[in-house]
Amino acid sequence: MRRSYNKEFKILAVKLVIEDNMPEEEVSRAMIVHYNSLYRRIGKYEKYGESAFPGYGTALYSYQYEIKNRIKKGARNSKKYHNVSKKLMFDYYILYHIIMF
């Protein structure tokens, strides 16, 4: 089974390396975390700060939420456009047949 760690645990591990200058190997052994996970968390912490760790599991960063919402909004707008254009095409079809026959 895969282990999951809370936000405080992740931040503590990273701060031990960054602020207390402890070696990564020692921190990973003491906290029973694979050193690759620790290196990855250090990189995320340096890039995003404490918002890099949303808690348990994975989550989207704020800029990813923004992109996701833009995509959803665009999809909704395109559906509205599609429905309107279908209605206009149907109205045009009816009008054309009324005039022609």
Side-chain angles (χ1 to χ4, degrees):
M1 189 168 136
R2 190 173 170 174
R3 295 182 196 172
S4 62
Y5 302 99
N6 63 12
K7 179 179 182 173
E8 291 78 24
F9 182 87
K10 294 173 186 177
I11 291 173
L12 175 65
V14 170
K15 284 186 176 183
L16 284 173
V17 174
I18 294 175
E19 294 176 3
D20 297 342
N21 296 321
M22 290 182 67
E24 292 90 348
E25 295 82 13
E26 187 178 326
V27 173
S28 66
R29 258 187 264 117
M31 298 189 90
I32 311 170
V33 176
H34 197 273
Y35 62 89
N36 282 342
S37 297
L38 184 59
Y39 283 122
R40 190 171 49 252
R41 289 180 186 147
I42 290 169
K44 285 184 178 182
Y45 184 82
E46 289 173 343
K47 187 171 183 179
Y48 301 108
E50 290 191 11
S51 66
F53 311 118
Y56 290 99
T58 58
L60 299 175
Y61 300 113
S62 60
Y63 72 92
Q64 290 173 317
Y65 277 117
E66 186 179 325
I67 292 169
K68 183 179 175 184
N69 289 335
R70 283 183 188 171
I71 291 170
K72 278 186 177 179
K73 186 177 179 181
R76 276 183 274 163
N77 288 342
S78 67
K79 284 180 184 176
K80 287 179 187 175
Y81 174 77
H82 183 70
N83 289 338
V84 168
S85 63
K86 280 186 0 185
K87 174 140 177 46
L88 288 173
M89 291 291 287
F90 179 74
D91 291 347
Y92 178 77
Y93 177 79
I94 297 296
L95 185 61
Y96 177 79
H97 280 11
I98 290 173
I99 293 172
M100 293 302 287
F101 297 107

